[in-house]
Every structure is written in C-alpha cells, then in structure tokens.
Amino acid sequence: MAEEELTKLAVVTGGQGGLGTELAKSFRAAGFDVAAPGRDELDVTSEEQMNAFFADLPRVDVAVHNAGVFHGAYVTKMSNEDFNRILDVSLRGAFLMTRAALKHMMKQRSGHLLYIGSRSAQVGPVGHSAYAAAKAGMEGLAKSVAKEYGARGIRANVIRPGFLMTKFSKFAKPAVLEEQFNLHELGELNNPEDSARFIVEIAQAEHVSGQNFTLDSRIHAWC
C-alpha cells in the first residue's frame, strides 16, 4: 500500500480528560486513527512506558501532549513533591513524548508535535509558580524542536486553549471564575469542543511551525 493511502494516526496523552476526550472525537471525525491513553494506560513521566507505547504504534503523524496536573500554592507553601510532580507531567512528559514520537516522524520525514500550553506561561499568575514554569519550559521546548527538525518536515506548535470548564479546572473558586469572565472580551469562556476543532485543523496545517496559538478573547499587551 502506498504511504499516502495509509490512515494517519494521532496520539493524545491525557486522552481521558475533558479536552483529551474532545480531541480524540475531533481527530476521528477528521479521518485519523487515534490513540488517546489516560493516566492509567500511560504514565507520561515514565520513560520506559512512553518508549514502549510509541514503539508499538505503526506510525505517528500527530502527537499531542495534553497530560497535565495542577496544584496552586505560593512558593513558600509549595512542597517539593508537588513542584516536581507538576514539572514531571507537563515538562518532562512533553520531552519524553517528543523523543518517542520523533523516532517515527524522522523515518516518515513528516509529523506534527502539538503541546497544550497555558496563559500562565506568559503572565505567571499568583499561586501558579510550578505550573507557569512547566508550561513556559514546554513552550521553549516546542520552539527548539521546530528549529531542530523543521528540515525533516516535522512541525511543532503550542496551543493555549484558554480557561476551559473541565474537571481540570474544578479547583477554581467562584471569585477566580468571575475574574476570568471579566478578562474575556467576548464575555464567555472557550469550550473543549471548539478548542479541539481548532487543534485538529492546525494539526493538518503543513506550513505552520514554531508558533503559539491562544484560543480565547483575553487580550495581552506586547512585552
């Protein structure tokens, strides 16, 4: 069978969460085969599990690092365990996924690595020290990957889907939700379905790499 006739495969880590579930649906609707493991199926902090998972796949056309954890605390109240866990999942997990997926993509001389980022990387909110650091590091990783492997037809981009009302945001207090609504010029939050549709469209854009995309209506000054 010619390579162009093969069904493309998308991998979504954190695939059982709110956004992950919608991503799996949208990729399937776009004609992709999808592997969307949840945390019980794939520990993204385990190099052994990550390598074994990707080694069993026939090819990888899109890999989305969607797995993430959050714990809000001031720096002086943040435990080493919580800090390390957040960086392990969001940043080290992104690195391990990237390296495992690249083994397929370099052979194919094509592929798209997508990283689910956050506004926290840009603004560093109060109580987000570990999360902001992890997401900022992930954005730097994506840009380096875009430069290192662009000549081989491999793309890397970051998507900041916005403040989504999913299980991941259940920590939010009413005052925080009100603040977020007030920051959005459209007066409403984004949702997982719209974010997923955008991400799947970008995943198929063949001439876009090394970029950050923010999917809400919060407007920031240049810096």
Side-chain angles (χ1 to χ4, degrees), residues 7-28:
T7 301
K8 291 187 176 181
L9 175 64
V11 178
V12 181
T13 67
Q16 302 305 308
L19 180 57
T21 299
E22 292 302 326
L23 281 169
K25 290 179 183 177
S26 292
F27 273 115
R28 290 190 181 103

Side-chain angles (χ1 to χ4, degrees), residues 47-69:
E47 180 178 1
E48 181 179 2
Q49 287 190 34
M50 189 72 80
N51 289 342
F53 180 85
F54 276 87
D56 284 341
L57 300 175
R59 60 183 292 117
V60 178
D61 297 281
V62 179
V64 185
H65 186 61
N66 174 63
V69 293

